[in-house]
Amino acid sequence: MEGENNMEKGLLLAKKEDSANTTPLLIFSTFIIVSASFTFGAAIGYTADTMSSIMSDLDLSLAQFSLFGSLSTFGGMIGAIFSAKAASAFGHKMTLWVADLFCITGWLAISLAKDIIWLDMGRFLVGIGVGLISYVVPVYIAEITPKHVRGAFTFSNQLLQNCGVAVVYYFGNFLSWRTLAIIGSIPCWIQVFGLFFIPESPRWLAKKGRDKECEEVLQKLRGRKYDIVPEACEIKISVEASKKNSNINIRSLFEKRYAHQLTIGIGLMLLQQLCGTAGISSYGSTLFKLAGFPARIGMMVLSLIVVPKSLMGLILVDRWGRRPLLMTSALGLCLSCITLAVAFGVKDVPGIGKVTPIFCFIGILSFTMMFAIGMGALPWIIMSEIFPMDIKVLAGSLVTIANWFTGWIANYGFNFMLVWSPSGTFIISAIICGATIVFTWCLVPETRRLTLEEIQLSFVNV
């Protein structure tokens, strides 16, 4: 109770603060951190337009290619197991250096692969790297940014992911799969050198007892004229409260006091992966061909539309708030999946089947757009905000593992689901998207314009 009272006092001090400046260091740090997200996006979209060429060049079966495609999500699950622990023990920067090493090695292995073993090993290593990235990037950004721009800055993670997706979608029409793998590694090299010039998270420094460095970094991030005392006070009080609960273990996560946060975190991650994105992002070209729509045109249009729509999400996230944007995105995904289900459902119906190509194009295009503005980034943004420092490591790991494990199952099974029934596959996805709206309405709180400490206090007071 004493820790909660101290936190409330700190929050009252924080209410008096003016909005912090968006400094050049804050922008540069965010750019360096999210550059790795480009690799994340490239890994997601890499199989979308390379399936036929890789299968032909290396003589792979459908099952072998499905395994290759899913290994990035399996590797991501392995990386997720260690991501939060590594970030807590060694810092966000060191963890990202390790992630870059995995990604660079993996992309090089794919580009030089002569057989399925090297191909799969490279995909697996990239997966481990992006598994580390998936947790560290949104958490680091959430910890360095002031509350009035935190949503937009954290959304830049999704923006760069979509840039990676767009690049492999577009250039997959012209370049070989080996060259695409080289392109996927370039942002990792940028981050390797850029990390030398950005600070560690103030909250991590405070947690390690380096209070003076915490204040110095906070001052640089907020600007020389900004009064950091209220925010520094909040951080220190939060760290002190977390130290009193330092005996937290995996069983503690399932106590009643954390049930709400854990349900939100895991629930949103499962819904994100099961809504259909694993198949559409990774096998978009296959869907276009199955519907009879020119795959090259379809992939090129997707590459041109995904980034502008992410920019829209970046602008709206701190204006609309998390809840409205998440429900709007889920509604759009539900309608898109219904469109795809109808498109494939009438494919073999005489006189009506001719609408399948255009309906498929509309469905995939609208799905990609609606996913980019909300469902792609918001589960990660909310995850980075809702957990208090005493359980952030364990809870963050568990939530990230849930995301990657579900993604692995969805990615591997998608091609076999299509063989079973394309229409049935998207009916299931539509139902899950509808469930996301209900889940968000009932359980997900609004975190817009609240500090991390204010968000966590709101759960205590529920």
Side-chain angles (χ1 to χ4, degrees):
M1 288 299 296
E2 182 182 346
E4 290 171 16
N5 290 335
N6 286 338
M7 186 177 286
E8 287 178 353
K9 291 176 183 177
L11 295 177
L12 288 173
L13 283 172
K15 293 292 185 181
K16 299 177 182 178
E17 65 175 322
D18 296 323
S19 295
N21 294 325
T22 304
T23 61
L25 179 61
L26 180 63
I27 296 171
F28 178 73
S29 298
T30 303
F31 169 74
I32 292 300
I33 291 298
V34 300
S35 61
S37 301
F38 182 100
T39 288
F40 192 166
I44 292 172
Y46 182 74
T47 53
D49 211 28
T50 59
M51 182 173 175
S52 58
S53 57
I54 292 177
M55 290 178 68
S56 175
D57 290 352
L58 299 182
D59 193 25
L60 305 184
S61 65
L62 178 62
Q64 287 176 317
F65 187 84
S66 294
L67 176 62
F68 164 71
S70 68
L71 276 175
S72 66
T73 45
F74 183 75
M77 183 176 63
I78 302 301
I81 293 173
F82 302 101
S83 58
K85 280 283 187 183
S88 177
F90 307 112
H92 303 79
K93 291 170 60 177
M94 182 59 70
T95 305
L96 286 173
W97 268 316
V98 174
D100 290 333
L101 177 63
F102 276 110
C103 288
I104 290 169
T105 305
W107 283 121
L108 289 176
I110 292 173
S111 68
L112 300 173
K114 300 296 183 182
D115 55 45
I116 185 65
I117 296 175
W118 282 96
L119 192 72
D120 285 350
M121 184 184 73
R123 185 76 168 165
F124 179 68
L125 291 176
V126 170
I128 293 175
V130 298
L132 294 169
I133 290 166
S134 65
Y135 171 83
V136 175
V137 170
V139 169
Y140 176 89
I141 297 173
E143 291 186 357
I144 68 168
T145 48
K147 61 184 180 182
H148 67 289
V149 294
R150 189 179 63 244
F153 272 68
T154 311
F155 208 100
S156 64
N157 174 38
Q158 181 68 20
L159 176 63
L160 265 291
Q161 281 184 35
N162 284 325
C163 287
V165 170
V167 166
V168 294
Y169 278 4
Y170 185 83
F171 288 103
N173 289 310
F174 312 106
L175 302 177
S176 73
W177 56 272
R178 297 184 188 276
T179 304
L180 278 184
I182 297 294
I183 291 174
S185 70
I186 293 175
C188 295
W189 289 107
I190 295 173
Q191 187 175 77
V192 164
F193 294 105
L195 286 171
F196 286 103
F197 304 100
I198 66 173
E200 187 51 84
S201 158
R203 285 174 173 80
W204 184 83
L205 292 171
K207 190 177 179 182
K208 293 299 179 182
R210 294 154 65 175
D211 292 345
K212 186 176 180 181
E213 286 182 67
C214 170
E215 292 176 4
E216 290 173 354
V217 168
L218 204 56
Q219 193 71 71
K220 291 177 182 177
L221 289 168
R222 300 292 182 263
R224 287 182 299 175
K225 297 181 179 180
Y226 180 74
D227 180 14
I228 63 163
V229 173
E231 187 173 0
C233 179
E234 276 188 77
I235 292 172
K236 290 174 185 177
I237 291 171
S238 178
V239 168
E240 288 172 8
S242 69
K243 286 180 178 178
K244 292 179 181 178
N245 297 318
S246 58
N247 59 342
I248 292 290
N249 55 43
I250 192 69
R251 289 184 179 180
S252 304
L253 291 180
F254 299 97
E255 294 177 2
K256 185 178 180 180
R257 56 179 168 159
Y258 299 130
H260 192 183
Q261 292 106 309
L262 200 62
T263 301
I264 293 169
I266 293 178
L268 286 178
M269 292 301 183
L270 297 184
L271 291 166
Q272 182 197 58
Q273 289 293 351
L274 295 174
C275 72
T277 183
I280 291 177
S281 298
S282 300
Y283 302 107
S285 182
T286 301
L287 289 171
F288 283 130
K289 291 175 182 176
L290 187 62
F293 190 88
R296 174 169 288 193
I297 294 175
M299 297 306 292
M300 191 172 294
V301 172
L302 289 183
S303 71
L304 296 175
I305 201 69
V306 68
V307 173
K309 282 300 174 182
S310 294
L311 283 170
M312 183 181 295
L314 186 147
I315 294 168
L316 293 177
V317 67
D318 280 321
R319 296 187 179 184
W320 282 18
R322 280 55 157 170
R323 274 169 54 89
L325 194 57
L326 191 58
M327 287 189 285
T328 301
S329 176
L331 176 61
L333 293 176
C334 182
L335 296 175
S336 301
C337 289
I338 292 172
T339 303
L340 286 166
V342 171
F344 288 108
V346 302
K347 181 181 178 183
D348 297 321
V349 178
I352 306 178
K354 60 184 179 182
V355 304
T356 293
I358 190 63
F359 268 44
C360 177
F361 175 72
I362 293 171
I364 292 176
L365 183 64
S366 60
F367 185 99
T368 304
M369 291 163 56
M370 297 309 297
F371 187 82
I373 69 167
M375 198 63 183
L378 287 173
W380 293 104
I381 292 175
I382 293 168
M383 180 276 291
S384 71
E385 296 175 330
I386 61 175
F387 295 119
M389 291 190 71
D390 56 334
I391 66 163
K392 182 170 278 191
V393 172
L394 285 174
S397 293
L398 183 61
V399 167
T400 309
I401 291 167
N403 179 279
W404 284 104
F405 179 76
T406 311
W408 173 49
I409 298 298
N411 196 295
Y412 182 74
F414 185 77
N415 278 322
F416 301 105
M417 290 283 286
L418 284 183
V419 172
W420 164 67
S421 171
S423 183
T425 298
F426 288 108
I427 288 173
I428 294 172
S429 296
I431 293 171
I432 293 171
C433 294
T436 303
I437 301 172
V438 177
F439 181 88
T440 304
W441 177 266
C442 295
L443 293 175
V444 179
E446 183 53 69
T447 59
R448 181 175 67 118
R449 297 191 180 279
L450 297 175
T451 67
L452 298 182
E453 288 71 27
E454 286 172 333
I455 293 167
Q456 287 136 31
L457 186 62
S458 71
F459 284 104
V460 173
N461 292 333
V462 170

